[in-house]
Amino acid sequence: MQNKTIFVERETFEKNDKTYYSYFIKGKVRGKDIEIAIVPPDKGGYTVLDIVFGNEMSAELTVKPFEMKTEAGEVIKGNTYTVHTVDEDGEIYECSVKPFRNSDKTLLNMLLK
């Protein structure tokens, strides 16, 4: 995996006369523009994402590889994802995120190669 900086962006959308944010990563894989939907691990995570982003419309994605061994001895490998920002006082704000659909997970893995 290359060490490249990837940003999660957000934009507003309207639903039932309320304004919400959607979160995504834009990139290019094999010359094709892609957009990967990103969500928090649970519904309450949207409040945390609002705090992490503050007044910004993008936040840096951190990728941490992990490896686990099952009871059967099988090794499972993957990545965990976090978005983070740093405020003017140097305080770090972060929130775990994940790709929304399996196709988003596949695209993110392609983008990280």
Side-chain angles (χ1 to χ4, degrees), residues 38-51:
I38 298 294
V39 295
D42 55 51
K43 189 176 180 182
Y46 285 102
T47 301
V48 180
L49 280 175
D50 284 345
I51 293 168

Side-chain angles (χ1 to χ4, degrees), residues 22-40:
S22 63
Y23 298 86
F24 55 89
I25 296 169
K26 287 185 178 179
K28 199 176 277 267
V29 174
R30 296 184 89 179
K32 184 166 182 62
D33 289 329
I34 60 169
E35 189 170 294
I36 303 162
I38 298 294
V39 295

Side-chain angles (χ1 to χ4, degrees), residues 23-98:
Y23 298 86
F24 55 89
I25 296 169
K26 287 185 178 179
K28 199 176 277 267
V29 174
R30 296 184 89 179
K32 184 166 182 62
D33 289 329
I34 60 169
E35 189 170 294
I36 303 162
I38 298 294
V39 295
D42 55 51
K43 189 176 180 182
Y46 285 102
T47 301
V48 180
L49 280 175
D50 284 345
I51 293 168
V52 169
F53 275 76
N55 293 325
E56 302 299 320
M57 294 305 282
S58 68
E60 190 173 341
L61 181 74
T62 303
V63 181
K64 293 181 184 169
F66 73 86
E67 203 172 282
M68 299 184 331
K69 196 177 263 192
T70 66
E71 290 179 14
E74 180 185 357
V75 176
I76 299 171
K77 294 180 181 183
N79 294 314
T80 59
Y81 306 100
T82 307
V83 292
H84 75 275
T85 57
V86 180
D87 72 9
E88 59 277 355
D89 297 324
E91 187 75 31
I92 298 171
Y93 295 89
E94 60 184 18
C95 179
S96 295
V97 292
K98 63 182 183 177

Side-chain angles (χ1 to χ4, degrees), residues 16-27:
N16 299 330
D17 295 326
K18 289 188 178 181
T19 302
Y20 299 95
Y21 284 107
S22 63
Y23 298 86
F24 55 89
I25 296 169
K26 287 185 178 179

